[in-house]
Amino acid sequence: MNDMAKTKPYGSWLSPIDAALAAAHDGHPAFVGFVGDEAWWTEPRPVEGGRRALVRRRPDGAEEPVLPAPWNVRSRVIEYGGLPWAAVARPGDPRGPLLVFAHFTDQRLYAYEPDVPEAEPRPLTPLSGVGGGLRLADPQIRLDRGEVWCVLEEFTGEEPTDVRRVLVAVPLDGSAAENRTAVRELSDGRHRFVTGPRLAPDGTKVAWLAWDHPRMPWDGTELLVADVGADGTFDGARVLAGGPGESIAQVDWARDGRLLYVSDRSGWWNLYRAAPDGTATALCPREEEFGGPLWQLGLNWFAPLDSGLIAVVHGTGASALGILDPETGEVVDAAGPWTEWSASLAVHGTRVAGIAASPRSAYEVVELDTRTGRARVIGAAHDDPVDPTYYPEPQIRTFLGPAGREIHAHIYPPHHPGHVAPGDELPPYVVWAHGGPTTRAPLVLDLAIAYFTSRGIGVAEVNYSGSTGYGRAYRNRLRGQWGIADVDDCAAVALALADEGTADRARLAIRGGSAGGWTTAASLTTTDVYACGTIIYPVLDLTSWQGGDTHDFESRYLDTLVGPYADVPGRYEERSPARHADRITAPFLLLQGLDDVICPPAQCELLLERMERRGVPHAYIAFEGEGHGFRRADTMIRALEAELSLYAQVFRLDPAGGTPTLELVK
């Protein structure tokens, strides 16, 4: 801390991290892959309407977009999407690489040759006017057959659950662009959900994952293997592993033709190698996670190398990139400052590419040379937009909750290089409840957090019961307890911070989006811990949400989080914040995308109806063109500034630099 630091109250510190800066750095690269010697990946463009650009790294190190705006490389399969592109280098072919990608606007699959002058993307799949249409994800290009193998999501009616998913082969010649019957189906459609097919090195077998309602993929999945006929058909599909109580998160083939998969049968997602009869051996049995929740199709936590070694993302509550020797079980981790690795790995020869971040750096594309052990940033390099002394200095903490259970959290105290608060003042704190809820808050640099901490407002990210990264037992603590265990855990952390003198008990807030919005709203209806809250694209009414108000993927999620509706209908009523608006006494801000099909605006409207004339200050901001998760810069700017204004009004702060005043109605 600067010896000349000025004493100013919390919440009044002048920060160079404004909402526009935080919005410009929102999101991170994803879905990295090699195309010949080049690394390619997708990247967010908040100032370009929130599109996802596909970027390539040329051999000379230059980064450039593969497709110009407005092309948006993003799939909507299961609404959360998945791997939206595949490309092959075609060495010796003067046309260069061939790219296949899903375009967000119409969800058609397109083929494109970026190195061919004047080339334009050409559609490979048709449009459909039924329901949500045709959507595709997790493509694998088969040049030998002139096809793309991928997952097809096909709506058969107007309801969100009128849908089927199958593995298909899409002709590369464009013959299916106007003809659905030209899309060849590979699987029998008997499973509600499938992941993309993974072909064995000799081309004779294929493997994929499948699951059915009411399970979510982290509850139980099946690993299927089939023979591949000379005509490209799948024959004799059979279950090799998995079941209702075993989550298999990824499957792939080693270079020697043996099957590899990640399973949590031990209570932790570990890596296994299967014999032809299905007998499996754990390659590195540890109480660590070598996998995670399958929220998108095409995620991968491991990637087999030509040498027989396996690149793995693993850890407990955090993650590292390691190289696993499957014969000895030894893992050697890559050196470097990164403490969090995404579920996106690609290999090429002795090179491994991944996406990593740390508390001092945002996500960037990193390459590891397994020959030398050297890791370096090769794309989307973090570049400090402000002096890093303004970044928060997080603490990894474990608190005790109800019944003495452990609660993991990241605490970000207020931090500013030029300011301190009066010695007799305790700081305001905002509890951040992550979405999912079956995921976790990673310990990485987030300028949205820095936006608050650099102004003198602390943030506590709580990985409450149900979060991933700590084993299946920790995840299962939320079964039947959604709206209770998550609420209790967040409150326990907030009150512990107040009791130990870290936070001001009278100036505690809570915020979250999606499932975190649910936890926020549920906290405001069932506790008196918080002075206010920010509720972002939330679940608010369980009865309507499970009754058709959401998309198919999560339409039975509540069976495990709350309990089957037919068995416990009263529980759905009792826990829904929208049904108990009379219990809300703290001011709140409600933020919603009008195009959200996962947590639709009707949920917010129901709550607002019941808040009318209750005298509780609140505000509602709905954003046109935004879905589940804000992607446009102007949206994110307005949302952050409105949130800060809420805290300023409720906590009686005087933000420096000026912030638009949020109008609160009663």
Side-chain angles (χ1 to χ4, degrees):
M1 178 63 67
N2 188 334
D3 291 336
M4 302 299 292
K6 296 180 180 179
T7 300
K8 295 194 70 175
Y10 288 114
S12 66
W13 302 345
L14 182 63
S15 172
I17 303 173
D18 60 15
L21 189 69
H25 290 79
D26 189 78
H28 58 79
F31 298 116
V32 66
F34 280 107
V35 183
D37 291 330
E38 296 182 0
W40 294 22
W41 61 90
T42 65
E43 208 170 84
R45 294 284 189 268
V47 297
E48 296 178 21
R51 79 178 183 105
R52 297 290 304 194
L54 184 61
V55 178
R56 67 194 293 185
R57 183 183 191 272
R58 292 287 194 175
D60 63 2
E63 295 177 30
E64 63 183 48
V66 179
L67 291 154
W71 293 103
N72 189 349
V73 183
R74 181 178 155 214
S75 169
R76 282 189 63 184
V77 169
I78 67 170
E79 293 302 342
Y80 293 109
L83 180 63
W85 71 275
V88 290
R90 300 191 299 189
D93 190 322
R95 296 171 298 174
L98 171 66
L99 164 69
V100 172
F101 68 96
H103 178 46
F104 179 74
T105 303
D106 59 16
Q107 287 299 292
R108 299 174 87 179
L109 210 60
Y110 287 81
Y112 179 53
E113 294 169 317
D115 291 352
V116 174
E118 309 303 322
E120 294 288 339
R122 54 185 177 84
L124 299 181
T125 54
L127 294 169
S128 169
V130 180
L134 299 178
R135 304 172 179 179
L136 301 106
D138 206 358
Q140 309 286 316
I141 297 176
R142 294 289 312 277
L143 282 180
D144 58 328
R145 296 197 54 83
E147 295 176 329
V148 184
W149 289 5
C150 53
V151 175
L152 169 69
E153 180 177 77
E154 181 174 20
F155 283 81
T156 58
E158 297 303 321
E159 295 300 318
T161 53
D162 292 338
V163 63
R164 62 192 294 268
R165 299 175 187 88
V166 290
L167 303 180
V168 297
V170 177
L172 281 168
D173 63 8
S175 58
E178 305 295 337
N179 181 10
R180 166 65 181 87
T181 61
V183 176
R184 185 168 64 93
E185 298 196 7
L186 300 169
S187 61
D188 56 17
R190 64 188 177 93
H191 290 289
R192 189 74 167 192
F193 303 95
V194 291
T195 63
R198 296 296 182 264
L199 189 66
D202 65 3
T204 64
K205 287 184 171 57
V206 67
W208 68 96
L209 304 179
W211 68 97
D212 294 285
H213 286 319
R215 298 194 303 272
M216 299 299 287
W218 42 85
D219 297 322
T221 55
E222 293 179 345
L223 193 169
L224 290 99
V225 177
D227 300 318
V228 180
D231 59 354
T233 59
F234 292 4
D235 299 316
R238 54 205 177 274
V239 176
L240 191 74
E246 178 182 359
S247 170
I248 298 177
Q250 183 191 344
V251 61
D252 210 336
W253 302 85
R255 297 299 185 259
D256 63 5
R258 287 189 282 186
L259 194 65
L260 304 170
Y261 62 89
V262 170
S263 165
D264 72 347
R265 64 182 56 165
S266 70
W268 297 82
W269 273 305
N270 278 192
L271 187 58
Y272 292 80
R273 183 168 61 196
D277 64 358
T279 304
T281 302
L283 298 182
C284 183
R286 294 185 182 181
E287 290 191 348
E288 288 186 19
E289 305 284 37
F290 286 74
L294 203 60
W295 278 103
Q296 295 179 304
L297 305 185
L299 298 180
N300 57 325
W301 293 266
F302 73 86
L305 290 147
D306 292 340
S307 63
L309 301 176
I310 306 169
V312 294
V313 171
H314 69 105
T316 305
S319 57
L321 171 65
I323 302 299
L324 167 65
D325 184 336
E327 306 310 322
T328 66
E330 181 183 6
V331 178
V332 178
D333 288 340
W338 308 284
T339 56
E340 187 70 31
W341 291 78
S342 295
S344 179
L345 292 179
V347 297
H348 177 61
T350 59
R351 299 159 63 194
V352 179
I355 298 168
S358 79
R360 307 295 290 179
S361 61
Y363 285 96
E364 46 197 357
V365 182
V366 179
E367 180 181 280
L368 169 67
D369 187 331
T370 58
R371 295 171 303 176
T372 64
R374 178 173 175 249
R376 63 189 180 114
V377 177
I378 63 166
H382 172 77
D383 184 18
D384 292 313
V386 296
D387 186 334
T389 58
Y390 287 92
Y391 297 163
E393 297 178 349
Q395 305 164 1
I396 301 173
R397 299 279 304 272
T398 301
F399 297 85
L400 291 182
R405 66 178 181 237
E406 289 188 341
I407 308 166
H408 303 286
H410 306 144
I411 307 303
Y412 297 83
H415 174 77
H416 192 292
H419 289 307
V420 294
D424 60 350
E425 184 185 5
L426 292 175
Y429 258 81
V430 183
V431 170
W432 282 35
H434 64 70
T438 312
T439 181
R440 65 183 170 87
L443 187 67
V444 299
L445 178 63
D446 184 341
L447 290 189
I449 291 177
Y451 175 76
F452 293 105
T453 57
S454 61
R455 285 170 167 74
I457 300 172
V459 170
E461 285 187 312
V462 182
N463 282 320
Y464 48 78
S465 295
S467 299
T468 55
Y470 307 98
R472 186 171 183 119
Y474 197 90
R475 295 203 313 273
N476 285 351
R477 287 192 343 203
L478 202 59
R479 283 177 170 259
Q481 296 297 305
W482 199 37
I484 296 177
D486 50 326
V487 169
D488 288 348
D489 288 357
C490 288
V493 171
L495 293 174
L497 292 174
D499 290 345
E500 70 186 24
T502 297
D504 185 342
R505 174 66 182 87
R507 296 192 293 178
L508 297 173
I510 185 168
R511 69 97 81 172
S514 190
W518 155 269
T519 300
T520 298
S523 297
L524 296 181
T525 59
T526 61
T527 78
D528 61 357
V529 173
Y530 309 102
C532 61
T534 300
I535 307 166
I536 309 170
Y537 39 84
V539 178
L540 293 173
D541 181 51
L542 297 180
T543 302
S544 62
W545 201 75
Q546 67 84 35
D549 248 9
T550 191
H551 62 139
D552 184 59
F553 177 59
E554 294 180 273
S555 62
R556 298 292 300 278
Y557 197 3
L558 300 185
D559 281 35
T560 51
L561 290 177
V562 181
Y565 181 72
D567 297 341
V568 289
R571 190 180 293 174
Y572 281 63
E573 169 80 20
E574 177 57 32
R575 294 190 192 173
S576 295
R579 306 277 175 159
H580 299 287
D582 58 300
R583 299 176 184 173
I584 298 178
T585 58
F588 65 89
L589 167 63
L590 191 56
L591 302 170
Q592 176 68 42
L594 291 177
D595 292 347
D596 194 339
V597 297
I598 296 172
C599 295
Q603 296 263 314
C604 293
E605 292 160 7
L606 179 60
L607 177 68
L608 292 169
E609 267 180 39
R610 300 185 176 198
M611 290 302 300
E612 283 187 8
R613 295 180 295 279
R614 286 210 49 246
V616 177
H618 63 278
Y620 176 53
I621 305 177
F623 298 98
E624 291 187 4
E626 291 283 13
H628 198 69
F630 300 151
R631 291 177 169 83
R632 297 180 178 180
D634 55 346
T635 298
M636 292 184 277
I637 291 169
R638 190 177 180 201
L640 271 178
E641 291 180 341
E643 186 176 352
L644 177 60
S645 180
L646 172 71
Y647 304 147
Q649 293 180 58
V650 174
F651 296 155
R652 301 186 183 280
L653 310 177
D654 184 19
T659 298
T661 300
L662 174 70
E663 183 180 351
L664 298 173
V665 299
K666 295 183 179 180

